[in-house]
Amino acid sequence: MTALTVLLALLAALSNASASVLQRRAAVQEPEHGEGSGSVVRRFTRLLRRPYWLAGTGLLVLSGLLQAGALAVGSLSLVQPLLAAELLFTLAVGSVVFRRRPDSRTWLAFVALAGGLALFLLAAAPTAGRPTARPADWLLGGGGVLGAVVLLVVAARPVRGGARAALLGLASAVSFAATAALLKEAMGRLEEGPAAMFGHWSLYATGVAGLVAFLLLQGALGAGSLTASQPALTLGDALTSVVLGWVLFAESIHLGLSLLPEAVGVALIGAGSIGLAHAASVGGEWDATDPEASSGSTAALPRTPRR
């Protein structure tokens, strides 16, 4: 079951990364004009006609199905952190779609982020808990998630660019983690039969939480580069899921001697974050222009030379 869980989770990560890249590709074709709800609605309406955006939406649906399968056979604390592979998939797919490669420093930063998280999870070795959560635990976990999302959205309102993309990406990550927890609850009810799953509130709450996460993701993709939003999105999702797995489903991690490699993993995550913040690709916005519009222009960003 563990091998199947890993396979399904990694396929979900690839599908989700491809969706983010394609929807970012559509977003740079529709730059923001003004502020307010009317401008947002008009921009979203135009995005609905973009093939890249529609393809990205289809891949998001596929990612959700793969994620549901992984959660049906594995724990929340294992499945969601595996989606950190989305970081590297994003760079690989994005390099093809935007026809320009991030520089080597950006790649190293992403590798440090993903490697640090992988090391932390291998040392922590999250264990499976109960298949469903108690109502009182949902009040605690749900209240914490709601409060965190509201605070992040409020903090994102006065800022622009990479900071806004990162804050909205983190808010989306928390929402996606909550969506996964709700989906796991619904899949846990499936053991009692389809009627039990469809008759439980968690299945419908999954749809609501997923919609909120999706809308926040669109805001993050429109606010700034993937190099700002994607680390917050994938790492925030993984770490929030570990917490929710502990709070809701009594999943646990190893402590004691495992604290040393866990600390090294956290240090790598921090080093990767600092390196990413100072990478040339962040200032250059490698995914900020339409490659079709800029292919014949001297203003296009140059590709990083092959080494």
Side-chain angles (χ1 to χ4, degrees):
M1 284 297 184
T2 300
L4 179 59
T5 300
V6 171
L7 175 62
L8 291 173
L10 289 177
L11 288 174
L14 174 59
S15 180
N16 211 39
S18 301
S20 293
V21 170
L22 292 177
Q23 291 194 330
R24 173 62 180 167
R25 174 74 165 73
V28 300
Q29 294 177 319
E30 293 290 345
E32 294 187 36
H33 296 289
E35 299 181 358
S37 58
S39 176
V40 172
V41 171
R42 287 192 297 271
R43 185 171 185 272
F44 185 71
T45 302
R46 291 194 298 270
L47 283 173
L48 289 173
R49 298 194 293 268
R50 293 285 183 182
Y52 282 108
W53 192 90
L54 294 173
T57 301
L59 285 171
L60 276 178
V61 174
L62 175 61
S63 177
L65 294 174
L66 291 167
Q67 182 184 17
L71 288 169
V73 295
S75 68
L76 180 69
S77 298
L78 174 61
V79 172
Q80 292 303 106
L82 280 171
L83 297 184
E86 182 181 338
L87 288 168
L88 300 180
F89 290 144
T90 297
L91 279 182
V93 177
S95 296
V96 174
V97 171
F98 285 95
R99 303 175 192 172
R100 55 175 68 92
R101 300 191 310 172
D103 61 16
S104 58
R105 188 170 184 175
T106 304
W107 279 101
L108 288 173
F110 271 94
V111 169
L113 283 166
L117 184 58
L119 176 61
F120 172 80
L121 290 173
L122 286 172
T127 59
R130 49 180 178 260
T132 59
R134 297 172 298 192
D137 293 333
W138 272 116
L139 288 176
L140 176 62
V145 164
L146 179 61
V149 170
V150 170
L151 286 175
L152 288 167
V153 171
V154 170
R157 288 180 64 86
V159 297
R160 292 292 181 269
R164 183 180 178 86
L167 287 169
L168 290 178
L170 186 54
S172 178
V174 175
S175 301
F176 275 121
T179 303
L182 289 163
L183 182 59
K184 180 168 181 60
E185 176 79 21
M187 297 305 293
R189 302 284 171 178
L190 186 59
E191 295 180 359
E192 304 170 16
M197 183 182 73
F198 285 102
H200 195 261
W201 60 269
S202 59
L203 181 63
Y204 309 100
T206 299
V208 174
L211 177 61
V212 172
F214 177 77
L215 294 176
L216 288 171
L217 174 62
Q218 301 312 303
L221 293 175
S225 172
L226 285 171
T227 52
S229 62
Q230 204 67 10
L233 180 65
T234 54
L235 296 175
D237 187 350
L239 297 176
T240 302
S241 294
V242 171
V243 174
L244 289 179
W246 172 62
V247 172
L248 298 174
F249 303 106
E251 299 171 359
S252 61
I253 62 174
H254 290 176
L255 299 176
L257 294 177
S258 298
L259 285 174
L260 179 58
E262 289 169 10
V264 173
V266 171
L268 282 173
I269 292 172
S273 299
I274 294 171
L276 183 62
H278 293 86
S281 297
V282 176
E285 297 275 324
W286 64 279
D287 60 343
T289 56
D290 183 353
E292 292 179 0
S294 61
S295 58
S297 171
T298 58
L301 294 176
R303 295 188 183 186
T304 302
R306 294 178 181 269
R307 295 184 183 274

